[in-house]
Amino acid sequence: MASKPPASDPVQDAPQVAAPQHHAAGLPAVKESLRIAREQMGVRRTALTLLRVNQKDGFDCPGCAWPEPEHRHAAEFCENGAKAVAEEATLRRVTPEFFAAHPVADLARRSGYWLGQQGRLTHPMYLAEGADRYEPVTWERAFDIIGEELTALASPDEAVFYTSGRTSNEAAFLYQLFAREFGTNNLPDCSNMCHESSGSALTETIGVGKGSVLLEDLYKADLIIVAGQNPGTNHPRMLSALEKAKEGGARIISVNPLPEAGLEKFKNPQTPRGLTRGASLTDLFLQIRLGGDQALFRLLNKLILETEGATDEAFIAEHTHGYEEFAEAARAAGWDETLKATGLSRADIDRALEMVLASRRTVVCWAMGLTQHKHSVPTIREVVNFLLLRGNIGRPGAGVCPVRGHSNVQGDRTMGIFERPAPAFLDALEKEFGFAPPRAHGYDVVRAIRALRDGEAKVFFAMGGNFVAASPDTEVTETAMRRARLTVHVSTKLNRSHTVTGARALILPTLGRTERDLQGGGEQFVTVEDSMGMVHASRGRLDPASRHLLSEPAIVARLARRVLGEPSRTPWEEFEKDYATIRDRIARVVPGFEDFNARVAHPGGFTLPHAPRDERRFPTSTGKANFTAAPVEHPHLPEGRLLLQTLRSHDQYNTTIYGLDDRYRGIRNGRRVVLVNPEDARDLALADGSYVDLVSEWRDGVERRAPGFRVVHYPTARGCAAAYYPETNVLVPLDATADVSNTPAGKSVVVRLEQSATD
Ligand SMILES: Nc1nc2c(c(=O)[nH]1)N[C@H]1C(S)=C(S)[C@@H](COP(=O)(O)OP(=O)(O)OC[C@H]3O[C@@H](n4cnc5c(=O)[nH]c(N)nc54)[C@H](O)[C@@H]3O)O[C@H]1N2
Ligand SMILES: Nc1nc2c(c(=O)[nH]1)N[C@H]1C(S)=C(S)[C@@H](COP(=O)(O)OP(=O)(O)OC[C@H]3O[C@@H](n4cnc5c(=O)[nH]c(N)nc54)[C@H](O)[C@@H]3O)O[C@H]1N2
Ligand SMILES: [Mo]
């Protein structure tokens, strides 16, 4: 039997702190996955589900977007994947009786952890204008309400259609089609807060906004640089790949302000040795200051340029553009500024250079540590410069590897979830479906919040996710949501976004990945694309959490029929019955998906084409791979302040809190902690265990405060603090975003720490 959800809340946030660990996974990870799974699902269901994760005939893990290896273990999942599955396959239920007992004001006082622990949503629920609680509603009535509000808008651009990255290709394709037939490109998605900086930088420099390596490339690499990423927690299966790469002779450089356990040592629970000794992964740890990466790569580039015969001249001449201008800027890089920006020593950088020059095949992997800064786009461009210099793109064992977050965030973008669609994509839609898609760009996440705040958008519809908790500047975002006429969430679980609503609100409960999807045309499967451009099928096997659930494609299809009505010539009914008919359309609209239904029937799926990787062809504006020469930037830190990064604990999935145990960092039983370097703590007179308010300082002069954080002395880089997201989103100003990509700069927030009144 599964256990009951916790009754009491707010959860006592009383952090206990022990020394951080120096290795990840191993037996404790296995035990922890089984414990969590049993608690939510009971023993039998645990066995049934976990053995199906990431198998060729099973479902895609709803955790991260790391690809599956060709030879899979019987247990091809990790501790955090098991938690993601348990969270969805839980036997706990949030029923109409639950909503009757809990007015919205009550739910709004609960923690995100408590809300999530209540279980799966079972019925469509409606919060009428002026009502104090949600009531059950029929699907027909729910679609009527949305239809009423959408048709009352002065312009389709007053509606916003958000997507989180778990949505399947089929659902995403229908969703963007519906939004565009309705008349808007307002399709913000979690990518705007995530890898948008990678997409922007890569599209401009190599012509494709996706990574250029496959798993085999990692195995063949001589050197893998992991910058701004914590795979031990967020992509645990990547550790097996890194271990295998090391066995093949690769060396690893980790670039991070924190010594993350997974990167130090990995105990692979699937090998006998892994259960005891474990493999050391990192050969060189560069403990960089937050936002110092552009300076680091720029200096490395200068040093490469100054080394006789170190550049790949033939590649540069044949395949690149802008080399001279870049080389001039790189030669001007100075040691002093670089050491200041990075906090590294000369010896560190000399050692890194040695490893770079010794490597014939280099891969650079990164995630949020590189994408969520003001200067993220130039930082990632500099990584591309670094790889181009030695011809490390478009050959085996080398390339760019932005490691994606949500399990289908990359696929959603491929399917057209984008507020700035390429004209060629819209042309293809127009040709296939015979309507004129809107051409003006729509709102991204930050612009959508502004539009809602300013009354320019009035309906907010979310396909998954937890917009209110995930977005920056919580107070501003909440005010914006409350100004909406209608907010709608297609969700599996209860979350904060259901408690901060427009005048009217709907919760539409949907199937998760693990569940059987039965439609008029029989049992359906969906498809997803992983971080390396592999597309494959995902089939759920569990009985749905409730018989009132509709699948995401069904929800979009019914909504489209209700809202678009007769004039729409799109066969929405047929799409709902048989997803293969959706895939036929995708095959005709999206390049790389030709013959989709036949190819996805192949176990393991197929790889999408990638011109730079496959043929060293760079579809950029110049037709070549572009070197770029942006000025080097790094965050400015005023006296007596710290630079705060907002990051994930080991026990959460974005805004979903699994538990309060950040095991590898030694923090248990609470989340309101701020990690501070002991020397900074001494200078600022912050005793370990004392309580502080984090106050963010931004040029608009508004004081943003997150009260009551326990100070933890922790070996982070000097001047750099860390605290968990989403609690710290109150501190991230809406306007503090990355240049070009407009991604909230949640990894470099200037804060002062004030003794808490309650201390
Ligand atoms: N279990 C679990 N898995 C997940 C998620 C989850 O919440 N839980 N989230 C998913 C999603 S959507 C995403 S996007 C990914 C996120 O995966 P990550 O990017 O690994 O997530 P973060 O916790 O934000 O960690 C950022 C890492 O970058 C480092 N860092 C921060 N700033 C800098 C910097 O300026 N320079 C450098 N070099 N390093 C820096 C931090 O110390 C930390 O190690 O994970 C995905 N997988
Ligand atoms: N300060 C700060 N802010 C950040 C970040 C950070 O590092 N720091 N990271 C950013 C990043 S990288 C991301 S990706 C965003 C994440 O932003 P989101 O993707 O919006 O947030 P999640 O927490 O992943 O969404 C969880 C909710 O999704 C719903 N859900 C789960 N599975 C399904 C499903 O199969 N279908 C449907 N319809 N719903 C489902 C559940 O109701 C659950 O409550 O947050 C961003 N915000
Ligand atoms: Mo993400």
Side-chain angles (χ1 to χ4, degrees):
M1 273 300 287
S3 62
K4 288 213 167 63
S8 69
D9 193 75
V11 188
Q12 196 60 29
D13 203 279
Q16 293 164 352
V17 179
Q21 293 188 7
H22 298 288
H23 66 262
L27 269 183
V30 177
K31 274 198 207 139
E32 181 63 10
S33 6
L34 293 177
R35 183 186 68 76
I36 294 246
R38 270 200 310 267
E39 229 176 74
Q40 299 273 353
M41 308 192 273
V43 176
R44 195 169 151 268
R45 204 167 163 91
T46 296
L48 272 175
T49 44
L50 291 187
L51 291 178
R52 291 249 171 242
V53 186
N54 293 334
Q55 298 303 318
K56 287 179 181 166
D57 61 346
F59 62 89
D60 185 62
C61 179
C64 72
W66 190 255
E68 281 72 55
E70 187 48 35
H71 301 288
R72 300 167 199 219
H73 296 276
E76 192 58 61
F77 61 89
C78 64
E79 174 188 351
N80 280 335
K83 290 181 189 170
V85 169
E87 185 77 17
E88 181 178 302
T90 180
L91 290 168
R92 300 174 185 167
R93 296 290 177 267
V94 172
T95 58
E97 294 72 51
F98 172 92
F99 284 104
H102 296 281
V104 176
D106 169 25
L107 297 176
R109 277 192 300 271
R110 309 289 182 153
S111 71
Y113 172 65
W114 187 90
L115 294 173
Q117 287 292 312
Q118 303 310 308
R120 286 287 298 277
L121 296 157
T122 60
H123 287 67
M125 301 297 300
Y126 174 48
L127 180 69
E129 190 157 9
D132 76 338
R133 62 198 79 198
Y134 281 94
E135 289 185 355
V137 65
T138 63
W139 281 102
E140 292 71 58
R141 176 76 188 117
F143 292 126
D144 281 345
I145 292 166
I146 304 170
E148 278 161 27
E149 292 291 347
L150 286 179
T151 36
L153 295 176
S155 142
D157 290 329
E158 290 183 348
V160 170
F161 298 97
Y162 175 72
T163 317
S164 162
R166 278 196 193 174
T167 294
S168 65
N169 289 333
E170 289 75 3
F173 186 78
L174 291 194
Y175 188 53
Q176 62 81 32
L177 180 62
F178 162 66
R180 294 190 167 117
E181 269 200 61
F182 176 66
T184 184
N185 282 314
N186 287 342
L187 286 158
D189 73 332
C190 68
S191 211
N192 299 143
M193 302 186 264
C194 186
H195 266 293
E196 197 70 62
S197 303
S198 309
S200 299
L202 293 177
T203 305
E204 183 187 337
T205 55
I206 66 167
V208 179
K210 301 180 182 182
S212 75
V213 301
L214 300 173
L215 266 184
E216 300 83 80
D217 292 309
L218 286 182
Y219 305 152
K220 288 179 195 145
D222 297 325
L223 175 65
I224 301 171
I225 301 180
V226 183
Q229 192 203 344
N230 178 19
T233 286
N234 297 315
H235 308 91
R237 287 180 302 115
M238 178 176 170
L239 299 182
S240 319
L242 292 178
E243 184 186 33
K244 190 160 170 189
K246 288 217 75 167
E247 283 164 10
R251 292 201 280 182
I252 296 176
I253 301 179
S254 305
V255 189
N256 203 306
L258 296 174
E260 302 284 28
L263 284 167
E264 290 184 64
K265 201 170 203 184
F266 172 47
K267 295 191 176 179
N268 188 343
Q270 275 148 357
T271 62
R273 185 196 56 179
L275 291 177
T276 51
R277 276 187 299 128
S280 292
L281 290 182
T282 292
D283 296 278
L284 175 66
F285 171 41
L286 298 179
Q287 187 162 32
I288 197 163
R289 289 205 167 136
L290 289 168
D293 305 81
Q294 189 198 7
L296 170 67
F297 281 100
R298 178 61 62 88
L299 184 70
L300 286 173
N301 288 340
K302 168 197 168 90
L303 299 173
I304 293 170
L305 282 168
E306 287 172 352
T307 307
E308 190 60 37
T311 61
D312 185 340
E313 286 173 25
F315 173 80
I316 293 171
E318 192 184 340
H319 293 292
T320 71
H321 176 268
Y323 172 74
E324 289 306 330
E325 203 188 325
F326 153 74
E328 197 185 311
R331 286 200 184 93
W335 275 98
D336 289 349
E337 308 130 57
T338 310
L339 299 186
K340 183 163 168 268
T342 59
L344 299 172
S345 71
R346 220 182 151 111
D348 284 337
I349 295 179
D350 283 338
R351 177 94 179 87
L353 179 69
E354 225 173 83
M355 290 167 72
V356 167
L357 293 175
S359 163
R360 294 200 45 249
R361 290 175 290 263
T362 300
V363 174
V364 182
C365 302
W366 72 88
M368 298 304 99
L370 257 52
T371 65
Q372 297 176 335
H373 293 284
K374 176 179 179 293
H375 60 308
S376 281
V377 175
T379 298
I380 296 162
R381 287 191 201 128
E382 200 61 31
V383 169
V384 173
N385 289 336
F386 168 80
L387 290 168
L388 292 179
L389 265 185
R390 289 172 57 75
N392 275 314
I393 290 192
R395 62 187 168 82
V400 284
C401 183
V403 183
R404 301 280 159 167
H406 268 302
S407 53
N408 198 40
V409 62
Q410 186 160 316
D412 290 346
R413 192 48 76 76
T414 308
M415 291 299 116
I417 302 291
F418 194 22
E419 76 282 357
R420 291 173 285 135
F425 179 84
L426 297 179
D427 294 344
L429 270 190
E430 180 157 2
K431 185 155 168 263
E432 179 65 26
F433 293 98
F435 73 100
R439 298 278 161 167
H441 288 175
Y443 299 133
D444 60 14
V445 163
V446 166
R447 292 188 178 97
I449 296 168
R450 287 194 195 120
L452 287 159
R453 178 196 64 190
D454 300 340
E456 284 157 17
K458 299 193 171 78
V459 173
F460 176 87
F461 188 107
M463 182 56 77
N466 184 1
F467 189 84
V468 164
S471 296
D473 226 343
T474 312
E475 276 182 39
V476 177
T477 298
E478 294 193 353
T479 308
M481 282 317 235
R482 291 200 164 100
R483 289 206 61 188
R485 281 287 314 147
L486 172 71
T487 50
V488 186
H489 288 89
V490 178
S491 309
T492 52
K493 306 281 299 264
L494 195 60
N495 67 42
R496 176 89 191 145
S497 298
H498 306 130
T499 72
V500 181
T501 68
R504 311 164 90 183
L506 283 161
I507 302 175
L508 307 181
T510 193
L511 292 177
R513 284 272 172 81
T514 52
E515 287 160 330
R516 183 170 288 130
D517 185 352
L518 205 56
Q519 302 294 346
E523 196 168 315
Q524 304 296 314
F525 67 88
V526 292
T527 61
V528 294
E529 174 186 344
D530 68 30
S531 204
M532 295 180 174
M534 297 276 301
V535 178
H536 61 88
S538 174
R539 271 186 197 83
R541 303 283 177 170
L542 296 176
D543 288 335
S546 138
R547 64 192 171 82
H548 304 286
L549 305 186
L550 286 184
S551 74
E552 291 184 350
I555 291 173
V556 182
R558 292 187 192 193
L559 177 64
R561 280 167 61 202
R562 167 62 184 82
V563 174
L564 305 173
E566 268 305 306
S568 174
R569 293 199 300 268
T570 305
W572 297 104
E573 243 181 299
E574 186 184 313
F575 286 163
E576 178 179 341
K577 259 192 219 135
D578 181 0
Y579 302 171
T581 64
I582 309 175
R583 285 187 288 274
D584 283 339
R585 301 305 187 106
I586 294 172
R588 291 208 285 270
V589 170
V590 188
F593 285 83
E594 298 76 17
D595 223 2
F596 191 4
N597 274 307
R599 285 196 294 158
V600 82
H602 172 76
F606 61 94
T607 310
L608 288 175
H610 188 290
R613 180 194 67 208
D614 304 336
E615 31 177 330
R616 279 202 160 175
R617 190 167 57 77
F618 298 94
T620 62
S621 56
T622 62
K624 307 253 175 177
N626 289 319
F627 277 104
T628 48
V632 174
E633 295 173 59
H634 60 88
H636 169 69
L637 188 58
E639 192 56 34
R641 305 296 187 262
L642 293 172
L643 208 55
L644 177 78
Q645 63 155 321
T646 60
L647 81 179
R648 292 154 175 80
S649 90
H650 190 64
D651 223 2
Q652 73 184 83
Y653 193 94
N654 298 338
T655 69
T656 299
I657 311 302
Y658 299 137
L660 304 178
D661 189 2
D662 193 1
R663 196 167 73 242
Y664 298 152
R665 299 198 185 105
I667 293 156
R668 288 194 306 126
N669 211 34
R671 292 179 45 86
R672 295 184 84 82
V673 293
V674 56
L675 313 184
V676 182
N677 177 293
E679 288 173 55
D680 289 323
R682 193 196 51 213
D683 292 353
L684 298 168
L686 298 168
D688 188 283
S690 62
Y691 277 79
V692 292
D693 291 0
L694 309 180
V695 187
S696 109
E697 296 183 347
W698 172 247
R699 56 167 190 245
D700 61 7
V702 174
E703 192 179 275
R704 295 174 174 82
R705 181 178 293 264
F709 281 66
R710 183 198 190 279
V711 172
V712 176
H713 289 187
Y714 199 87
T716 170
R718 282 300 303 267
C720 303
Y724 302 134
Y725 128 82
E727 289 82 348
T728 45
N729 259 334
V730 288
L731 300 170
V732 183
L734 187 64
D735 297 338
T737 59
D739 297 337
V740 185
S741 66
N742 212 24
T743 295
K747 293 289 191 277
S748 41
V749 184
V750 175
V751 290
R752 64 172 194 273
L753 273 50
E754 288 181 0
Q755 295 291 332
S756 285
T758 50
D759 193 16

